[in-house]
Amino acid sequence: MSARKTPARKAKPARKPARPAVKHRIAMLTAGGLAPCLSTAVGNLIQEYSRLLPGAEIIGYRSGYKGLLLGQSIKVTPAARRKAAILSQHGGSPLGNSRIKLTNVKDCVKRGLVQEGQDPLAVAAAQLEKDGITILHTIGGDDTNTSAADLAAYLARHDYKLTVVGLPKTVDNDVVPIRQTLGALTAAEQGAIFFENCINEQSTNPRMLLIHEVMGRNCGWLTAATAAKYRQRLGRQQFVPEFNLGRNLLDIDAVYIPERAIDLTAEAARLKKVMDAKDCVTIFLSEGAGVADIVAEMRARGEEPEKDAFGHVKIDKINVGDWFAKRFAGMVGAEKVLVQKSGYFARSARSNKEDLALIKTMVKHGVKSALKGESGVVGHDAERKGAPLATIAFPRIKGGRPFDPAVKWYGDMLKAIGQPMGAAKTVEH
């Protein structure tokens, strides 16, 4: 009996050497104005990275790009990681903000952020390299993220491997092409809550003109959304008409936004009738609705308005509500005028439930993109079918997206308060 031959075993292919794991060091910064999402976004980023990369180091640059240029940062300690969820209970920013444009060399030198002859982009890149950063998260509006785009482009040209992922923050909700920016939904709700108390000032004097000035440089979305949210909340209240406390007394009489021209003469005639009927008039006014007219008046007097590092007129230096009130009070026969601004109240709030959910979704997507090495700004892409959540390339990001007054909810609101839509107006950026 012959011995069986054992079939030769096939040689196993040599194992490919395992790729060395990337040792990430993550940095965050918040910049621009406040919005009710900054603390929550920072907390969520810390939580998500602690879940996926518990050993990765995380730092936060103080006061936005200022801290990056000056090398000032906060290390996220183990104790801070354990308490990261608490940040969602707070407004403001735990890192601090500033308005700095990295390509505005003159302004950076003037503010002592770089020395004469230095390129701020080069200084920022050198600091990132010194800190060993592989992922940078910027949380801000279009100005913050265009600066992030400039920085990312500079780093790419100089072969520095860094992934930059932005999260879109602005109460104006005006970033192209993002459908809904972080913090805007909360700001609208908080503006409505703010005015629920202010409206009662109408009982302090006969023929009272109340103007609620709402933030919004070029976009009327926040003013419109705040008015809609206020009326929604008003609909849930109870009233006592027998004591001159009917719903109509507490309702809004006009909403003025930058995207629509205001016919002062026609509106004054309409609102004078309202004043005669209910002894008060209430107006929601976007701060951007009168800026062009005010600037024109200033320049006619030989004055030039102050501008920030990005070339925007400093709206906080222009009292839009007061300017509007002085021109309108006599036309509607007001005995007393009160202008109330909800901006700082609204933008400093902590995130509401809607924003909490949106922030969590965007942070998860942003971290996933960062770990894949995909740079851009996270958001629902309104220029794509179905507005998918995506990491949108920096060159597509820009500010100044106007609010669309043709949306049904806005038209229905104006119809309910008896205000004509008004002619379309081109908004200067």
Side-chain angles (χ1 to χ4, degrees):
M1 191 173 186
S2 61
R4 289 185 181 178
K5 291 183 179 180
T6 305
R9 292 183 179 180
K10 291 183 179 180
K12 291 184 180 180
R15 290 184 180 179
K16 292 182 180 179
R19 290 182 180 179
V22 177
K23 188 176 181 181
H24 284 292
R25 196 158 195 254
I26 299 120
M28 307 171 290
L29 63 80
T30 60
L34 295 182
C37 63
L38 298 174
S39 288
T40 302
V42 169
N44 273 234
L45 282 169
I46 295 170
Q47 288 178 286
E48 188 66 5
Y49 277 113
S50 296
R51 183 177 72 84
L52 297 175
L53 298 174
E57 291 185 68
I58 307 173
I59 66 169
Y61 287 110
R62 291 179 178 271
S63 301
Y65 290 112
K66 177 183 178 181
L68 175 56
L69 291 172
L70 297 179
Q72 299 172 345
S73 61
I74 300 169
K75 183 178 180 180
V76 178
T77 63
R81 288 175 187 259
R82 291 193 295 271
K83 297 177 181 177
I86 297 174
L87 291 175
S88 296
Q89 300 174 22
H90 294 271
S93 169
L95 302 178
N97 283 23
S98 63
R99 290 186 182 275
I100 293 166
K101 186 176 178 65
L102 294 176
T103 54
N104 189 336
V105 180
K106 185 178 178 180
D107 181 67
C108 289
V109 171
K110 180 182 176 182
R111 295 164 70 171
L113 302 175
V114 298
Q115 296 178 9
E116 193 73 48
Q118 287 186 313
D119 180 355
L121 287 170
V123 174
Q127 188 62 51
L128 289 164
E129 187 170 13
K130 179 182 177 182
D131 292 336
I133 302 304
T134 60
I135 294 171
L136 173 65
H137 285 285
T138 58
I139 310 166
D142 61 293
D143 290 336
T144 299
N145 288 309
T146 52
S147 281
D150 292 334
L151 182 57
Y154 179 91
L155 293 164
R157 290 196 302 271
H158 292 80
D159 298 321
Y160 181 78
K161 302 299 182 183
L162 176 73
T163 302
V164 184
V165 178
L167 293 171
K169 170 269 333 168
T170 172
V171 297
D172 296 348
N173 194 30
D174 67 343
V175 177
V176 175
I178 294 169
R179 183 181 65 188
Q180 186 67 54
T181 57
L182 302 178
L185 294 167
T186 304
E189 180 181 70
Q190 289 295 316
I193 292 170
F194 170 89
F195 201 71
E196 283 179 351
N197 286 357
C198 295
I199 190 68
N200 296 316
E201 285 291 327
Q202 63 173 256
S203 61
T204 195
N205 201 86
R207 300 190 72 83
M208 186 78 164
L209 173 60
L210 273 174
I211 296 178
H212 180 192
E213 184 180 324
V214 183
M215 283 185 166
R217 179 185 296 278
N218 299 310
C219 177
W221 181 89
L222 182 59
T223 301
T226 303
K229 180 61 71 172
Y230 173 80
R231 297 191 77 248
Q232 183 185 63
R233 293 173 64 89
L234 188 65
R236 297 197 291 264
Q237 292 185 22
Q238 293 182 307
F239 305 97
V240 189
E242 294 81 3
F243 281 103
N244 195 33
L245 195 61
R247 171 172 174 150
N248 70 315
L249 196 71
L250 303 179
D251 209 344
I252 300 168
D253 302 303
V255 181
Y256 299 138
I257 58 176
E259 293 83 357
R260 291 289 172 178
I262 306 169
D263 186 335
L264 283 179
T265 302
E267 276 296 276
R270 178 179 75 85
L271 293 178
K272 189 176 184 304
K273 293 178 181 178
V274 174
M275 181 73 84
D276 293 341
K278 67 177 194 177
D279 211 33
C280 63
V281 165
T282 299
I283 297 171
F284 275 44
L285 172 71
S286 172
E287 65 179 358
V291 169
D293 294 323
I294 296 173
V295 170
E297 282 190 7
M298 291 177 69
R299 287 174 175 160
R301 296 194 301 266
E303 301 173 16
E304 189 63 28
E306 288 186 51
K307 295 183 178 181
D308 63 19
F310 294 86
H312 303 314
V313 172
K314 290 186 176 181
I315 290 184
D316 60 340
K317 303 292 184 182
I318 296 178
N319 200 332
V320 176
D322 184 62
W323 178 89
F324 189 87
K326 287 176 179 176
R327 283 151 183 76
F328 218 54
M331 299 171 77
V332 299
E335 287 187 12
K336 186 175 180 179
V337 180
L338 181 64
V339 179
Q340 292 291 286
K341 303 178 182 182
S342 62
Y344 295 122
F345 178 92
R347 77 178 195 172
S348 301
R350 66 181 182 181
S351 309
N352 68 4
K353 288 182 179 180
E354 290 175 292
D355 263 319
L356 285 170
L358 188 60
I359 293 165
K360 185 175 182 179
T361 300
M362 285 198 186
V363 164
K364 282 184 175 293
H365 184 95
V367 169
K368 185 177 179 181
S369 290
L371 294 177
K372 289 193 300 183
E374 182 182 13
S375 292
V377 180
V378 178
H380 291 87
D381 191 343
E383 294 177 356
R384 298 289 185 265
K385 185 178 180 180
L389 184 62
T391 303
I392 301 165
F394 280 117
R396 293 182 58 207
I397 301 295
K398 58 183 179 178
R401 182 185 69 183
F403 168 62
D404 180 9
V407 294
K408 186 176 184 301
W409 63 265
Y410 182 70
D412 289 346
M413 178 171 64
L414 293 194
K415 184 177 180 181
I417 65 177
Q419 177 184 336
M421 177 65 75
K425 179 180 177 183
T426 301
V427 181
E428 293 183 9
H429 302 299

